[in-house]
Amino acid sequence: MLRSYAITDIGRKRKLNQDFIYLSDTPIGNLPNVFIVADGMGGHNAGDYASRYAVETVVEEIGSSFEKSPVKILGRAIEKANAMIRKRAREEAAYNGMGTTIVVATCIGRYLEVANVGDSRLYVVGDRIEQITEDHSLVEEMVRMGGIDKASARNHPDKNIITRAIGARDYIEADFFDLELQTGDIVLLCSDGLTNMVDDETIRQILTSDKSLEDRVEELVRTANQNGGKDNISAIVIEPLADEVEND
């Protein structure tokens, strides 16, 4: 049986939480479960509005979709969220220029289906930690082109400049990933407020400890805050095959 737990936290420096998270262990439309992290951007309260509105639109679209393919369901839901945010930004000056990242996942048996736009991430954690999504960011493009290495990218001054976001353009292109999970794998969806404050190996050590699921997620957030808490921190942790581990 799948288990999950999530936290979103304002962090230590921000006055507003522009992250928005959603999780359902039970079916939404034709998907057996849905997990979402969105990290909004925009002045005043536009960022928190963008992330919440995007997630609510995606959930609504998933729930009403007649499609069977997870890629089609997620892709069309993200396209609708983009269109709705663009429309809202045109209608109200306060929301002009707002946008949000999004990472969405669903576990179908042993298989994980993922869609993302922006630099909120999904990892699979076991004996090692592997980032499944690719950041849509200026610095990540520099890494892919061989301009800088991963270590330099971590503290690069332009690391927060993203190249793709919901609401940024009329046309949105999400990336899709699918993979087979192994017994014991842990799935993490998170905003960059976690990954900018806590390195990958520390995340892996926390998530593979013997503590309860709730305690491990709370420790991720606490560690990010102890390391500076410079941004909002959101984490959803899923144990898709939890019962198999217990039965072994």
Side-chain angles (χ1 to χ4, degrees), residues 69-101:
S69 159
V71 170
K72 286 183 179 177
I73 294 170
L74 297 179
R76 290 180 183 177
I78 288 170
E79 287 170 7
K80 181 63 178 287
N82 186 68
M84 296 300 286
I85 284 182
R86 295 285 290 173
K87 179 175 182 287
R88 193 77 178 92
R90 286 192 296 269
E91 291 171 348
E92 192 159 337
Y95 294 145
N96 185 41
M98 71 176 173
T100 184
T101 70

